[in-house]
Amino acid sequence: MLPKIGDYNFGETYGENEVLYLDNFEKYFYNINNSKEKILNKKKFVVVGRKGTGKTLLANVMCSELKDTYSIAEVESLKDFVFHELYHFQGEDISSTKYVPIFEWMIYINIAKNIICKESDFSSNKITELRDFLSYFGYTSGDLKPEKTIELTRKFNDKNSASIKGGFFNVTGGNGTESVIKESARSYLENLEPLKSFINGILKESLKPSIVFYDE
């Protein structure tokens, strides 16, 4: 008998599902126009294309090939975050001055999570500081927890001051001793620059490169 259309497996509708349920998904990626080589160009930051053109598959194929030689090679998503976090600004204008830092914060928190998951490739002292910082802001496991971020920010806004010791807030006096920092109430976005500086420093010190794709 001739095979019926139902006898054929046409795969999953979405690329992320193909990756989850197909063990050899890499074999189904066609490297047209040397896409894999181009994506490693440090000047390439964004991959655009219509739905179904292989963007998600490209990211996952790259991570699969690089996982043994890179400290971090992951495909991540912030799809579930933004809508939660915007509730914090209800009734206010969502301007780029707020919207962009929110994304930056969550991207760096996400990268921090991946650094901790691959801690053997990074300085143990830096990993300890990073854990302390994440814990201070409610990310006890390094996971993305939008509700924790909002909750902690509101608590800070209700306080007159905050005492923070160690971590990214180290201050070295003339005698080489650490001091406790006394400062005004700070939201997590006000700590964005110290976080960025710290994460960038860790990545630069690593002997292996890292790459994270954000699949939106």
Side-chain angles (χ1 to χ4, degrees), residues 24-77:
N24 58 344
F25 68 88
E26 299 97 333
K27 294 182 179 180
Y28 294 89
F29 179 78
Y30 180 60
N31 189 26
I32 188 170
N33 295 327
N34 296 317
S35 299
K36 293 197 295 184
E37 290 74 18
K38 289 179 179 178
I39 199 63
L40 292 179
N41 185 323
K42 292 184 178 181
K43 295 183 179 180
K44 303 293 183 182
F45 296 99
V46 181
V47 179
V48 296
R50 292 182 179 180
K51 189 174 183 62
T53 53
K55 301 183 297 297
T56 295
L57 192 56
L58 168 62
N60 281 278
V61 167
M62 292 305 301
C63 288
S64 177
E65 294 182 359
L66 298 173
K67 63 182 180 181
D68 293 330
T69 55
Y70 275 46
S71 292
I72 300 171
E74 295 290 338
V75 179
E76 295 281 3
S77 175

Side-chain angles (χ1 to χ4, degrees), residues 9 11-25:
N9 182 1
E12 300 290 333
T13 305
Y14 301 104
E16 52 265 39
N17 291 339
E18 290 279 2
V19 172
L20 290 174
Y21 302 116
L22 199 61
D23 292 334
N24 58 344
F25 68 88

